[in-house]
Amino acid sequence: MIRNQPDSAVVIPARNEAARIVTCLDALGRQAKGRLVVFVVVNNSDDGTAALARDACRTLDLPAEILDIQLDTGLGVGSVRRMGAQAALAAMPDLRHILTTDADSIPDPDWLERNLVHLRDVDAVCGNIGPIKAESHLIQGMDLKLAELEGRYRALVMEFFKLCTGTNLHHGEASGASLAMKASAYKAVGGFRDVRTSEDRDIVRRLKASGHTVMHADDVWVRASLRLNGRAPGGMSDALKARVGGGSYVIDEALPPAKWLSERQHDLPVWPHDGTGYHAIDVSTLPAEIAQLERLIEAIQPTSMLDGPLHAHTAEHAPLSS
C-alpha cells in the first residue's frame, strides 16, 4: 500500500511498448511534482516494456507501480484499465482522481494541471487528442479531401447535439488516451468494463447516463501516435489504416446518419453513441450526409454558425476519431 502519497493516479496500459513508454512517462514525470502515482499495466509483452518502465520511473523519481501480467484470451484494454484502476484504489486509500492515458501518447506539459482544475467542478474530463506531428509521414497516403469531409460531418454532429440538447460537446472526444475522473464517480458507475475495445466511450456514456457531469475540455491535450500497427483491435490505428488504405471505409460509428438524427431529434442518446440502430456511414456518402444535416440544422436554427467555428474541425482532427 502506498502511503503519504498524492491523491491522483494515472493508469497506462502497455503492450510491447518498449519504443514509446519512456517518452510517455517522461512527459508525466515533468509535470508530476509529487502530485500523482503512475500505474503502468504491462500486459502480454515480450520486449522488456516492464523493465524499461521501472527504470524510467526510478530515474524520473516518479512514484509508480508496474503491473506485469498475462491477459487471458478474450480480454482486452478494458480489463487492463480496470486492473490499473483497481490497483490504484487498493494502494491509495485517499485516492480522489483516476486519470488514464496510453503508452504511445504524450500528454501536454499542462495536462495534469488542467485536468485537476476541471475536476474541481465536474466529475469527469475528456481531453482533446491531437497527432504527434513528427509521425505525420505515416499517414501521407490519406486522402485529405475525405479527411476534411469527416471533420466537417463530425463538427455538424457536434453542433446538432448542442442545438438539440443544450450541451456543448466541444471536440466530442471520449478517449482513454486522455480521460480523468473523480474516484467517487468511477466507483459509482462500476469502473471500466471487461471489454476488448471502446471501454473509454462506454464508461463516459455510463457516467452521463447516471447524472454525472462530464466535460469535453478544449484545453486538455494529449498527442497520440499515428502508427498503423496498434495494440487494441478496433482502435485508432485500425481507423488510420482504413483511411490510408485508399479504398472505401466507414467513418466513426458514433457519428449517426443525418436521417437517424432527424428521427431522434427530440430523444437523442448521451454522447458518444454506441452505433446501435443504424449502419455506420460509408465515406463515399458523406457529401450527401453533410448536405442533409446542414439543412436539418438550418431548419432548427437558421442563424446557426455553419460558416464559423464548424470549419475548425478539419483533416487534422478527423483521423484521430476511432
Side-chain angles (χ1 to χ4, degrees):
M1 179 175 292
I2 297 174
R3 298 187 183 279
N4 301 319
Q5 289 288 356
D7 60 5
S8 300
V10 180
V11 176
I12 308 173
R15 180 183 178 191
N16 284 336
E17 295 287 6
R20 297 172 181 270
I21 187 63
V22 174
T23 303
C24 176
L25 292 171
D26 182 63
L28 291 171
R30 292 175 183 273
Q31 56 191 289
K33 298 178 181 178
R35 296 182 294 182
L36 62 85
V37 180
V38 171
F39 291 79
V40 183
V41 188
V42 181
N43 64 99
N44 303 72
S45 294
D46 56 13
D47 67 345
T49 297
L52 283 169
R54 289 191 188 95
D55 290 344
C57 290
R58 189 178 303 113
T59 300
L60 295 165
D61 195 24
L62 179 60
E65 286 198 7
I66 313 300
L67 287 69
D68 195 354
I69 63 171
Q70 285 295 312
L71 204 62
D72 293 338
T73 302
L75 298 180
V77 67
S79 300
V80 176
R81 290 200 203 276
R82 182 179 183 87
M83 291 175 185
Q86 287 176 327
L89 288 164
M92 303 173 67
D94 297 323
L95 182 64
R96 294 179 59 203
H97 312 119
I98 297 174
L99 302 90
T100 75
T101 189
D102 291 335
D104 63 343
S105 297
I106 306 174
D108 270 15
D110 62 350
W111 179 75
L112 176 62
E113 179 63 31
R114 299 312 308 159
N115 272 309
L116 295 184
V117 166
H118 291 312
L119 285 176
R120 297 172 187 167
D121 302 316
V122 298
D123 296 311
V125 181
C126 300
N128 216 334
I129 313 299
I132 297 176
K133 294 188 182 296
E135 298 185 7
S136 59
H137 63 283
L138 297 176
I139 57 171
Q140 285 181 348
M142 182 180 294
D143 188 327
L144 293 182
K145 291 182 179 179
L146 294 182
E148 288 170 359
L149 287 174
E150 285 190 71
R152 174 65 175 168
Y153 191 71
R154 181 182 179 85
L156 286 167
V157 173
M158 297 296 98
E159 177 72 0
F160 183 81
F161 266 77
K162 179 180 178 181
L163 289 172
C164 294
T165 68
T167 302
N168 192 346
L169 296 171
H170 298 289
H171 52 77
E173 293 285 1
S175 170
S178 183
L179 183 58
M181 298 161 282
K182 289 179 178 176
S184 56
Y186 177 85
K187 291 187 290 185
V189 299
F192 288 110
R193 286 177 172 161
D194 291 315
V195 293
R196 288 182 59 81
T197 189
S198 297
E199 80 296 337
D200 38 18
R201 290 180 170 185
D202 172 72
I203 196 170
V204 169
R205 281 193 294 269
R206 285 185 285 124
L207 283 164
K208 291 181 177 181
S210 59
H212 291 86
T213 52
V214 179
M215 172 186 286
H216 297 266
D218 276 334
D219 62 345
V220 177
W221 282 88
V222 160
R223 310 298 160 171
S225 170
L226 297 177
R227 66 185 180 187
L228 305 181
N229 58 337
R231 304 297 183 260
M236 194 180 80
S237 293
D238 283 354
L240 290 173
K241 189 182 297 183
R243 287 152 176 76
V244 173
S248 182
Y249 59 89
V250 295
I251 68 170
D252 187 349
E253 66 176 12
L255 300 174
K259 183 176 184 294
W260 188 92
L261 288 170
S262 177
E263 293 171 349
R264 296 293 299 273
Q265 177 178 335
H266 302 294
D267 185 30
L268 288 173
V270 296
W271 175 267
H273 188 50
D274 62 4
T276 58
Y278 55 81
H279 295 294
I281 297 172
D282 189 281
V283 68
S284 64
T285 68
L286 272 178
E289 293 286 349
I290 287 171
Q292 186 175 351
L293 188 50
E294 284 180 338
R295 290 193 297 269
L296 181 57
I297 289 175
E298 288 173 354
I300 298 172
Q301 182 176 317
T303 58
S304 63
M305 299 164 60
L306 292 178
D307 294 318
L310 292 180
H311 288 292
H313 296 259
T314 56
E316 181 176 352
H317 187 270
L320 297 183
S321 301
S322 58

